[in-house]
Amino acid sequence: MEPKVFGDERGFFVETYREQVFAEAGLNLTFVQDNQSRSRRGVLRGLHYQLQQPQGKLVRAARGRVFDVAVDVRRGSPTFGQWAGAILDDETHRQMYIPPSFAHGFVVLSEVADFVYKCTDYYHPQSETGIRWDDPAIGIAWPREILYDLVLSDKDRQLPLLRDQRPEFLSVY
């Protein structure tokens, strides 16, 4: 999604969500939770998804620049194990919609980034799981300039590969 940005010497105005516009694009969504994180350059978060209460997410970088990624983890889907990614930043204000039952992650390319996301369901920490960011079977083309100074949480470092996910951890398409 690429919202219209109105700018002048004072700054800018951007409408980040309008129900009618999303409905016209075929996305009839109800959001129940907004989240924001701040991370420094090189921080990679993900690839996460929830087994219960899977969340659809409308994501954007309110400050800075990130490379954002979604991976289809729906068993039987024609795009199972495939990824899509985009640069999201505070200049273009581009947004990405991550459907429920897709793993999601991002890496910060600027010195600092504020990452904002609207969610279609509530966070359910008991059922959160994920896939390792560097799974060779998925082959995400992370930006090379950031790979030398990645910062991951211990939890993200220990995530399994897609092939090692228990079948019940993958959604049925």
Side-chain angles (χ1 to χ4, degrees), residues 27 29 48-50 54-59 69-74 84 96-104 120 171:
L27 297 171
L29 306 169
H48 305 141
Y49 64 99
Q50 292 182 179
Q55 296 176 307
K57 298 175 183 173
L58 178 62
V59 300
V69 174
V71 178
D72 187 351
V73 293
R74 301 170 301 159
M96 190 162 148
Y97 179 66
I98 315 298
S101 300
F102 277 60
H104 173 251
T120 61
S171 299

Coordinates of all heavy atoms in Angstrom, one line a residue, residues 27 29 48-50 54-59 69-74 84 96-104 120 171:
L27 N -9.4 -5.7 1.0 CA -9.0 -6.0 2.4 C -10.0 -5.4 3.3 O -10.0 -4.3 3.8 CB -7.6 -5.4 2.6 CG -6.5 -5.9 1.8 CD1 -5.2 -5.1 2.0 CD2 -6.2 -7.3 2.1
L29 N -10.9 -5.4 6.7 CA -10.2 -5.8 8.0 C -10.7 -5.1 9.2 O -11.3 -3.9 9.1 CB -8.7 -5.3 7.8 CG -8.0 -5.9 6.6 CD1 -6.6 -5.2 6.4 CD2 -7.8 -7.4 6.7
H48 N 8.3 -14.3 13.0 CA 7.3 -14.7 14.0 C 5.9 -14.9 13.4 O 5.6 -14.3 12.5 CB 7.2 -13.7 15.1 CG 8.5 -13.3 15.8 ND1 8.8 -12.0 16.2 CD2 9.5 -14.1 16.2 CE1 10.0 -12.0 16.7 NE2 10.4 -13.2 16.7
Y49 N 5.2 -15.8 14.1 CA 3.8 -16.0 13.8 C 3.1 -16.6 15.0 O 3.8 -17.1 15.9 CB 3.5 -16.8 12.5 CG 3.9 -18.2 12.5 CD1 3.0 -19.2 12.7 CD2 5.2 -18.5 12.2 CE1 3.4 -20.6 12.7 CE2 5.6 -19.8 12.1 CZ 4.7 -20.9 12.4 OH 5.1 -22.2 12.3
Q50 N 1.8 -16.6 15.1 CA 1.1 -17.2 16.2 C 0.2 -18.4 15.8 O -0.4 -18.3 14.7 CB 0.1 -16.1 16.8 CG 0.8 -15.0 17.5 CD -0.1 -14.0 18.2 OE1 0.4 -13.0 18.7 NE2 -1.4 -14.1 18.1
P54 N -4.1 -16.1 15.0 CA -3.1 -15.5 14.0 C -3.5 -14.1 13.7 O -4.7 -13.7 13.5 CB -3.3 -16.5 12.8 CG -4.5 -17.2 13.0 CD -4.8 -17.2 14.5
Q55 N -2.4 -13.3 13.6 CA -2.6 -11.9 13.3 C -2.4 -11.5 11.9 O -1.3 -11.8 11.4 CB -1.7 -11.0 14.2 CG -1.9 -11.2 15.7 CD -0.8 -10.4 16.5 OE1 0.4 -10.6 16.3 NE2 -1.3 -9.6 17.4
G56 N -3.3 -10.7 11.3 CA -3.0 -9.9 10.1 C -2.3 -8.6 10.6 O -2.7 -8.1 11.7
K57 N -1.3 -8.1 9.9 CA -0.6 -6.9 10.3 C -0.5 -5.9 9.2 O 0.0 -6.3 8.1 CB 0.8 -7.3 10.9 CG 0.7 -8.2 12.1 CD 2.1 -8.6 12.4 CE 2.1 -9.6 13.6 NZ 3.5 -10.1 13.9
L58 N -0.8 -4.7 9.4 CA -0.5 -3.6 8.5 C 0.7 -2.9 9.1 O 0.6 -2.3 10.2 CB -1.7 -2.7 8.4 CG -1.5 -1.4 7.5 CD1 -1.2 -1.9 6.0 CD2 -2.7 -0.5 7.6
V59 N 1.8 -3.0 8.4 CA 3.1 -2.5 9.0 C 3.6 -1.3 8.2 O 3.4 -1.2 7.0 CB 4.1 -3.7 9.1 CG1 3.6 -4.8 9.9 CG2 4.5 -4.2 7.7
V69 N 9.6 -8.4 5.8 CA 9.5 -9.7 5.1 C 8.3 -10.5 5.7 O 8.0 -10.5 6.9 CB 10.8 -10.6 5.3 CG1 10.6 -12.0 4.7 CG2 12.0 -9.9 4.7
A70 N 7.6 -11.1 4.7 CA 6.5 -12.1 5.1 C 6.8 -13.4 4.4 O 7.2 -13.4 3.3 CB 5.1 -11.5 4.6
V71 N 6.5 -14.5 5.1 CA 6.7 -15.8 4.6 C 5.4 -16.6 4.8 O 4.9 -16.7 5.9 CB 7.9 -16.6 5.3 CG1 8.0 -18.0 4.8 CG2 9.2 -15.8 5.2
D72 N 5.0 -17.3 3.7 CA 3.8 -18.1 3.8 C 4.0 -19.4 4.5 O 4.9 -20.2 4.0 CB 3.3 -18.4 2.3 CG 1.9 -19.0 2.3 OD1 1.4 -19.5 3.4 OD2 1.4 -19.2 1.2
V73 N 3.4 -19.6 5.6 CA 3.6 -20.9 6.4 C 2.3 -21.7 6.4 O 2.0 -22.4 7.4 CB 4.1 -20.6 7.8 CG1 5.6 -20.1 7.7 CG2 3.3 -19.7 8.6
R74 N 1.5 -21.5 5.4 CA 0.2 -22.3 5.3 C 0.4 -23.5 4.5 O 0.6 -23.5 3.3 CB -0.9 -21.4 4.7 CG -1.2 -20.1 5.4 CD -2.0 -19.2 4.6 NE -1.4 -18.9 3.3 CZ -2.0 -18.4 2.2 NH1 -3.3 -18.2 2.2 NH2 -1.3 -18.2 1.1
A84 N 8.0 -12.6 0.6 CA 7.9 -11.3 -0.1 C 8.5 -10.3 0.8 O 8.4 -10.4 2.1 CB 6.4 -11.0 -0.4
M96 N 3.0 -2.4 4.3 CA 2.8 -3.7 3.8 C 1.8 -4.5 4.6 O 1.8 -4.3 5.9 CB 4.2 -4.5 3.8 CG 4.2 -5.8 3.1 SD 6.0 -6.2 2.9 CE 5.9 -8.0 3.0
Y97 N 0.9 -5.2 4.0 CA -0.1 -6.0 4.8 C 0.4 -7.4 4.8 O 0.7 -8.1 3.8 CB -1.4 -6.0 4.1 CG -2.4 -6.8 4.9 CD1 -2.8 -6.4 6.2 CD2 -3.0 -8.0 4.4 CE1 -3.6 -7.2 7.0 CE2 -3.8 -8.8 5.1 CZ -4.2 -8.4 6.4 OH -5.0 -9.2 7.2
I98 N 0.5 -8.0 6.1 CA 1.0 -9.3 6.3 C -0.3 -10.1 6.7 O -0.9 -9.9 7.8 CB 2.0 -9.4 7.5 CG1 3.1 -8.4 7.4 CG2 2.5 -10.8 7.6 CD1 3.9 -8.4 6.2
P99 N -0.8 -11.1 5.9 CA -2.0 -11.8 6.2 C -1.8 -12.7 7.4 O -0.6 -13.1 7.7 CB -2.2 -12.7 4.9 CG -1.4 -12.0 3.9 CD -0.2 -11.4 4.5
P100 N -2.9 -13.1 8.1 CA -2.8 -14.0 9.2 C -2.1 -15.3 8.7 O -2.3 -15.7 7.5 CB -4.2 -14.3 9.6 CG -5.0 -13.1 9.1 CD -4.3 -12.7 7.9
S101 N -1.4 -16.0 9.6 CA -0.7 -17.3 9.3 C 0.5 -17.1 8.3 O 0.9 -18.1 7.7 CB -1.7 -18.3 8.7 OG -2.7 -18.6 9.7
F102 N 1.0 -15.9 8.3 CA 2.3 -15.7 7.6 C 3.3 -15.3 8.7 O 3.0 -14.6 9.6 CB 2.2 -14.5 6.6 CG 1.6 -14.9 5.2 CD1 0.4 -15.4 5.1 CD2 2.4 -14.7 4.1 CE1 -0.2 -15.8 3.9 CE2 1.9 -15.1 2.9 CZ 0.6 -15.6 2.7
A103 N 4.5 -15.8 8.6 CA 5.6 -15.4 9.4 C 6.0 -14.1 9.0 O 6.0 -13.7 7.8 CB 6.7 -16.4 9.4
H104 N 6.5 -13.2 10.0 CA 6.8 -11.9 9.7 C 8.1 -11.5 10.4 O 8.3 -11.9 11.6 CB 5.7 -10.9 10.2 CG 6.0 -9.5 10.1 ND1 6.2 -8.7 11.2 CD2 6.2 -8.7 9.0 CE1 6.5 -7.5 10.8 NE2 6.5 -7.5 9.5
T120 N -4.9 -7.5 13.4 CA -6.3 -8.0 13.3 C -6.7 -8.9 14.5 O -7.9 -9.2 14.6 CB -6.6 -8.7 12.0 OG1 -5.7 -9.8 12.0 CG2 -6.3 -7.8 10.8
S171 N -0.3 -23.5 9.5 CA -1.7 -23.4 9.2 C -2.1 -24.2 8.0 O -1.3 -24.4 7.1 CB -2.1 -21.9 9.0 OG -1.8 -21.2 10.1

